[in-house]
């Protein structure tokens, strides 16, 4: 397929300053692949780590970042069945979404309910699948349990509040401003607390009748990790999902014995190549989006060429919901 396209390319590890708007050849779909015209791409904290060379997979430069997007199918590679050009879909996994066109393997394509806007569709895959795998698959959450969600007004946080409420959990939402906490309450959080407040540990214990939380979604890491462990109830599970502070955390594993507690890692990427787990997640999530019971929170929107500004915006902790890049 001839022609060129605009893309955000990165030549070396760094911050927002290494994002360059470039002309690249428009890709064509190989066997088993789908070419999609990108309408909106979700900006994840992981993209920032990936560009910086600090992510869980090694970044190979030059690269076009972006791991989720929504757009219209333009062409199908050899052997692809069951999809039609002209249909809007979302796509999840890999890189290359911060561009006008992207090619993805057919298994990365998610058909979506037609009423979802492109921005909502782009905001959906990473956050909602992660929330599901964290709470259901890894933590084995049970109705009535307490879950504490850090960075609860962010992309993963807002998805997690909605998914937790659908699972019948009781939610404590933590965030850094009153405005963010108001959003968390609108989404159904039962208790909201500023993460900057003194005696946070005491506030969490008071909210849970002195017991602590059954599940804690840890996305900040660093110095606060030790306090997160203290917030766990008997048989509580601390989910290690992220480290937005980009600082090392310390723990003494022996401390887990007394309360029969667990620390559990959660990473979306390996689940993407597990068909049975993906099918279970799709069966749970799709009816909820189709019926409007859960709805992605779309935050600020930036043009593709404003990618650096969008990265700085997320790093400044100003975003609520998912920041969107639009070609
Ligand atoms: P968010 O939209 O949640 O943005 C990040 C938020 O983290 C900020 O708004 C801020 O919320 C909080 N934060 C705390 N400390 C810092 C810091 N030092 N610098 C910047 N932000 C900070 O991003 P995402 O939803 O994309 O990701 C949230 C977390 O979840 C990240 O750690 C990410 O890596 C992780 N994640 C992990 C996945 C997995 O598979 N394991 C998948 C998806 C996300 P506040 O100001 O309210 O504290």
């Amino acid at each position: 397929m001839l022609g060129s396209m605009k893309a955000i390319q990165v030549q070396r590890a760094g911050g927002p300053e290494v994002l360059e708007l470039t002309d690249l050849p428009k890709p064509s779909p190989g066997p088993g692949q789908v070419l999609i015209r990108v309408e909106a791409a979700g900006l994840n904290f992981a993209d920032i780590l990936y560009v910086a060379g600090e992510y869980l997979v090694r970044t190979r430069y030059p690269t076009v970042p972006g791991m989720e997007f929504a757009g219209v199918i333009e062409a199908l590679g050899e052997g692809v069945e069951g999809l039609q050009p002209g249909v809007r879909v979302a796509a999840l996994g890999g890189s290359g979404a911060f561009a006008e066109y992207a090619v993805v393997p057919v298994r990365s394509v998610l058909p979506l309910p037609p009423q979802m806007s492109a921005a909502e569709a782009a905001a959906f895959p990473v956050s909602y699948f992660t929330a599901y795998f964290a709470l259901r698959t890894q933590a084995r959450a049970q109705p009535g349990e307490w879950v504490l969600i850090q960075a609860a007004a962010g992309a993963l946080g807002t998805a997690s509040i909605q998914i937790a409420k659908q699972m019948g959990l009781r939610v404590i939402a933590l965030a850094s401003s009153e405005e963010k906490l108001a959003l968390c309450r609108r989404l159904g959080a039962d208790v909201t607390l500023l993460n900057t407040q003194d005696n946070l540990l005491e506030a969490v214990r008071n909210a849970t009748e002195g017991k602590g939380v059954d599940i804690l979604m840890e996305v900040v890491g660093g110095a606060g990790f030790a306090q997160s462990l203290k917030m766990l109830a008997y048989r509580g599970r601390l989910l290690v999902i992220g480290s937005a502070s980009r600082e090392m955390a310390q723990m003494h594993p022996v401390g887990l014995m007394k309360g029969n507690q667990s620390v559990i890692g959660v990473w979306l990427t390996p689940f993407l190549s597990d068909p049975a787990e993906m099918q279970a997640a799709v069966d749970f999530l799709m009816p909820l989006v189709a019926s409007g019971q859960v709805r992605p929170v779309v935050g600020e929107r930036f043009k593709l060429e404003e990618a650096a500004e969008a990265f700085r915006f997320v790093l400044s902790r100003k975003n609520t919901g998912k920041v969107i890049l639009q070609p």
Side-chain angles (χ1 to χ4, degrees):
M1 199 155 293
L2 295 172
S4 70
M5 65 167 187
K6 300 275 180 222
I8 297 296
Q9 204 183 32
V10 177
Q11 304 278 357
R12 62 188 162 87
E17 74 287 350
V18 301
L19 303 170
E20 291 168 15
L21 185 70
T22 319
D23 285 311
L24 291 177
K26 183 175 164 184
S28 50
Q33 294 183 327
V34 181
L35 173 68
I36 300 171
R37 179 171 56 76
V38 179
E39 293 180 296
L43 170 52
N44 289 284
F45 201 83
D47 293 313
I48 294 173
L49 300 177
Y50 179 74
V51 167
E54 295 175 20
Y55 195 49
L56 293 173
V57 289
R58 188 156 153 221
T59 313
R60 296 186 189 278
Y61 307 94
T63 182
V64 175
M67 53 186 72
E68 69 179 341
F69 64 95
V72 176
I73 296 179
E74 182 143 311
L76 304 175
E78 203 186 305
V80 176
E81 285 169 10
L83 292 173
Q84 297 294 329
V87 172
R88 176 182 287 155
V89 291
L92 165 64
S95 57
F98 298 166
E100 286 179 308
Y101 293 89
V103 158
V104 295
V106 66
R107 70 176 161 85
S108 303
V109 174
L110 285 174
L112 279 174
Q115 75 273 18
M116 271 181 122
S117 70
E120 283 174 337
F124 173 73
V126 168
S127 301
Y128 285 79
F129 278 86
T130 303
Y132 170 87
F133 286 125
L135 293 170
R136 171 61 54 87
T137 317
Q138 296 296 80
R140 298 174 188 275
Q142 298 299 322
E145 287 194 311
W146 278 104
V147 58
L148 183 145
I149 301 173
Q150 292 182 339
L156 177 61
T158 50
S160 299
I161 294 173
Q162 295 178 45
I163 295 302
K165 292 315 295 177
Q166 290 297 329
M167 291 179 178
L169 303 179
R170 292 184 282 176
V171 171
I172 300 179
L174 256 54
S176 61
S177 73
E178 286 297 346
E179 202 186 338
K180 288 185 176 186
L181 294 183
L183 168 66
C184 297
R185 283 191 289 275
R186 286 199 295 279
L187 294 172
D190 300 277
V191 176
T192 54
L193 298 169
L194 282 174
N195 55 16
T196 49
Q197 79 165 68
D198 295 335
N199 56 44
L200 192 56
L201 179 58
E202 203 183 321
V204 169
R205 290 222 177 106
N206 287 342
T208 54
E209 291 144 6
K211 294 191 187 123
V213 292
D214 304 294
I215 301 165
L216 190 147
M217 299 182 74
E218 172 67 59
V219 297
V220 182
F225 189 84
Q227 177 167 262
S228 292
L229 283 170
K230 289 186 191 154
M231 291 175 178
L232 287 182
Y234 178 70
R235 300 193 74 178
R237 290 86 80 200
L238 187 150
L239 302 175
V240 179
I241 306 178
S243 180
S245 67
R246 295 156 98 166
E247 288 166 6
M248 293 288 279
Q250 282 199 330
M251 72 172 284
H252 300 288
V254 169
L256 299 170
M257 289 165 64
K258 209 170 156 189
N260 280 320
Q261 292 154 334
S262 316
V263 174
I264 303 172
V266 180
W267 190 27
L268 174 62
T269 303
F271 282 121
L272 302 180
S273 31
D274 184 329
E277 293 290 3
M278 280 305 284
Q279 192 56 52
V282 165
D283 290 347
F284 179 87
L285 292 170
M286 289 311 172
L288 295 178
V289 273
S291 62
Q293 282 167 284
V294 305
R295 193 166 175 194
V297 177
V298 173
E300 285 68 14
R301 297 164 195 234
F302 294 84
K303 293 187 192 132
L304 187 62
E305 56 267 36
E306 298 167 336
E309 212 178 305
F311 271 50
R312 284 190 197 99
F313 188 73
V314 172
L315 283 167
S316 72
R317 301 169 68 160
K318 288 192 195 121
N319 70 291
T320 50
K322 181 92 68 179
V323 168
I324 297 292
L325 287 183
Q326 285 175 313

